[in-house]
Amino acid sequence: MTHRRKRKRKALKWIGLSLAAVVLAAGGAAAYVYVHFNQNLKSAPLLPQGVTQSAEVPNRFGQTALNVLLLGNAGRIDAADCHLGGACADTAPTADTMMVLHLAADRSNMTVMSIPRDSIVNLPACAHDPVDLINASLVHGPSCSVEAVHDLTGLTIDHFIEIDMAGIVTMSNALGGVPVCVTNNIEDDFSHLKLPKGRTVVQGTQALGWLRTRHAFINEVYREQAQHLFMAALLRKLKDNASLTHVMTLYSVADAATKALTVDSQLSSVTDLLSLAQEIGKVPTSRVTMLSVPTVDYSGPNAAWRLSQLQFQQPEADRMFAAIRADTPYTRTAASGSASSSAGSPASASASAASGVSQGSGKLSVNKAAVRVLIKNGSGVDGRAAAIRSALAGDGFTSALLKTDNAAPTQTSALYFPADRADSAAAVAAALGIPSSAMHESGDFAQVTLVIGGDWTSGTTFVPAMSGSGPVSSPSTGGSSSDTTAAPPPGNSLMTNGADANACVYVPHPEW
């Protein structure tokens, strides 16, 4: 063997040994990380002792949905939580946030349903008090909250994940912050949240303040929308960082998360959590819809001293629970079309009327250039009335006949018209994609009047199924009934789409 060949073989040997060392070192690091993360996790039983629930019912392809109860623990669990909460007097763990993450059986979509923390409900035996706030169930452990949510909604809860206040701070810091948006300045002395109008990246204690503030927003619905926008931005950011080029960010987030989490016994290893994360990761953000259980002011026993407390709005709440149990999404796919373009939809009927074809009664002569419209902005987003005015002017309406004004804050957009202006209203509805369900004949209005609400904060085509986020398309997932149907938007609940990076939470002007 020549000297040159010996040197080559020796070099290859060292290269091989070096590669083996790297692989062993990587394996050792992976083992360390696995053990470390597992030791971080805390676990508890899914249900109270002796309590059972039915298993998920498979769809026709043998796939099953997955429901995860997410709990934000506002209790002062340790010194860090005491510092963040401002005092240690409130040591009882209560759920500041309660959300059910419903993953569709075919993983084509996910619905995130918030349960308002101030809702008075019937609680199970584990809570001891038969009627109390839903968030009080956590005082008796996360398994009691699981039973309470199961009893109220009829949903099979497969897992729970509980996170404490310190966890929000460390996770948001590890991610480098999460972008949020408000329509006006916020200054809340209770949560110490101070934000300027527009978009801000929040992290640390500021992120915790965003999730916990109760005085910055006008009611619980908008507070929960703020939590939904944070969660949607968090999902988008995690997807952006889900690569080897962000390995240190992923490690930091995972370390912070596992230290802050209490999970059910079936979810108590890193492998189980990773499997759940992969299932959630299968859902495009455009197919993630976040909403709240519809509520009204509490009117039951002792209502006089239960001020600011709520009860489920019926039958709307039960309809929402039934839709989720049936695995019906709240977002529409390309297969079903958007609300403004689906054949046979109210919007298409309006379009037919505006184009001169009435529903079986001959022609309607609508001269759009002569239609007068008053556009009132009650959305809380500056410039909305002007944007709609420009859209109508670009569609053949006369600018001089399109007036704009402000309206009192309102959640729901509506098009009002007197009886003799139904054809003009139909022309406006067709131009803007407004369904007949949002059109109201009223003698209180002398002309066609469009009131823009908080469900239409961007875009010039109204798509009620998306609550103002605009049309969102997503690929068909091949065969599930969820590809072609969508649940109607619930009353008294703001809907957030996970792909909407431009949404802002409504905050009233100071003079309002």
Side-chain angles (χ1 to χ4, degrees):
M1 184 180 293
T2 65
H3 182 66
R4 183 177 180 182
R5 185 176 295 178
K6 286 181 178 179
R7 281 193 306 171
K8 185 175 181 181
R9 288 189 64 183
K10 190 173 183 180
L12 289 172
K13 178 180 178 181
W14 280 110
I15 291 171
L17 288 172
S18 299
L19 286 173
V22 170
V23 170
L24 287 172
Y32 166 78
V33 169
Y34 180 83
V35 172
H36 175 67
F37 287 167
N38 273 344
Q39 290 176 341
N40 284 347
L41 284 170
K42 300 176 288 294
S43 65
L46 178 65
L47 288 164
Q49 188 174 4
V51 176
T52 60
Q53 56 181 347
S54 300
E56 298 283 0
V57 178
N59 65 10
R60 64 182 184 272
F61 302 109
Q63 303 162 314
T64 54
L66 189 67
N67 295 309
V68 181
L69 179 61
L70 182 63
L71 300 164
N73 192 334
R76 279 53 164 175
I77 298 170
D78 53 28
D81 289 328
C82 290
H83 175 72
L84 292 168
C88 263
D90 183 14
T91 56
T94 57
D96 214 33
T97 300
M98 297 185 78
M99 297 179 183
V100 176
L101 280 61
H102 173 82
L103 275 166
D106 62 3
R107 304 302 188 256
S108 66
N109 64 86
M110 181 168 75
T111 298
V112 179
M113 178 183 70
S114 284
I115 303 175
R117 51 155 287 167
D118 290 330
S119 300
I120 301 291
V121 298
N122 294 321
L123 292 176
C126 60
H128 305 311
D129 295 319
V131 178
D132 203 347
L133 293 170
I134 179 64
N135 72 335
S137 61
L138 189 57
V139 173
H140 309 282
S143 60
C144 191
S145 293
V146 169
E147 184 183 4
V149 172
H150 167 69
D151 289 351
L152 290 167
T153 65
L155 291 166
T156 297
I157 305 300
D158 302 286
H159 298 291
F160 74 77
I161 298 175
E162 177 190 330
I163 186 168
D164 60 32
M165 290 191 291
I168 297 295
V169 172
T170 53
M171 280 188 66
S172 61
N173 280 334
L175 271 173
V178 174
V180 298
C181 181
V182 288
T183 61
N184 281 294
N185 296 345
I186 281 180
E187 186 168 353
D188 179 11
D189 293 334
F190 293 91
S191 66
H192 307 293
L193 180 66
K194 296 182 180 180
L195 294 178
K197 173 182 175 180
R199 195 162 302 279
T200 304
V201 175
V202 296
Q203 66 183 88
T205 55
Q206 199 176 37
L208 180 65
W210 172 269
L211 293 172
R212 296 196 68 218
T213 185
R214 302 181 65 192
H215 300 87
F217 306 117
I218 56 177
N219 59 30
E220 185 72 11
V221 174
Y222 288 91
R223 176 179 181 264
E224 288 174 352
Q225 186 195 30
Q227 295 177 347
H228 295 160
L229 294 188
F230 183 93
M231 187 173 180
L234 185 66
L235 283 173
R236 293 193 299 270
K237 193 152 192 177
L238 285 171
K239 280 179 177 286
D240 291 342
N241 283 283
S243 69
L244 289 176
T245 58
H246 299 88
V247 65
M248 292 310 297
T249 298
L250 287 174
Y251 176 87
S252 298
V253 172
D255 190 43
T258 51
K259 286 178 180 176
L261 297 183
T262 299
V263 297
D264 65 274
S265 304
Q266 288 75 45
L267 202 61
S268 58
S269 76
V270 173
T271 304
D272 297 327
L273 276 176
L274 181 59
S275 177
L276 176 61
Q278 289 172 336
E279 292 298 289
I280 292 174
K282 293 176 182 177
V283 182
T285 52
S286 62
R287 294 286 289 155
V288 177
T289 304
M290 303 177 183
L291 39 74
S292 300
V293 176
T295 55
V296 293
D297 290 339
Y298 178 70
S299 60
N302 303 313
W305 57 268
R306 287 190 178 275
L307 299 177
S308 302
Q309 295 179 350
L310 308 168
Q311 64 189 40
F312 291 172
Q313 182 180 17
Q314 296 297 359
E316 288 81 0
D318 282 345
R319 287 173 182 161
M320 179 183 290
F321 304 151
I324 296 174
R325 287 197 305 270
D327 209 18
T328 306
Y330 277 92
T331 49
R332 297 174 187 267
T333 63
S336 61
S338 70
S340 61
S341 62
S342 298
S345 69
S348 64
S350 296
S352 297
S355 64
V357 182
S358 69
Q359 305 300 304
S361 58
K363 292 279 184 179
L364 290 175
S365 55
V366 180
N367 179 11
K368 291 191 290 188
V371 173
R372 295 179 179 272
V373 186
L374 174 60
I375 308 164
K376 305 184 74 171
N377 182 15
S379 70
V381 178
D382 291 340
R384 291 295 296 136
I388 299 301
R389 181 177 183 269
S390 297
L392 289 174
D395 197 52
F397 292 78
T398 303
S399 294
L401 300 181
L402 304 174
K403 304 299 183 183
T404 61
D405 197 2
N406 286 323
T410 183
Q411 179 179 327
T412 307
S413 301
L415 183 64
Y416 300 95
F417 57 94
D420 61 347
R421 292 289 183 270
D423 53 349
S424 296
V428 173
L432 300 174
I434 297 173
S436 60
S437 59
M439 300 173 65
H440 308 283
E441 181 183 321
S442 173
D444 295 333
F445 295 83
Q447 66 185 93
V448 176
T449 302
L450 173 62
V451 179
I452 307 168
D455 57 353
W456 192 9
T457 55
S458 63
T460 54
T461 299
F462 181 52
V463 184
M466 293 298 173
S467 270
S469 63
V472 178
S473 61
S474 64
S476 174
T477 54
S480 169
S481 61
S482 64
D483 292 332
T484 56
T485 60
N492 197 22
S493 177
L494 298 177
M495 293 174 62
T496 299
N497 185 275
D500 188 0
N502 299 313
C504 291
V505 182
Y506 169 72
V507 175
H509 289 283
E511 60 268 25
W512 291 351

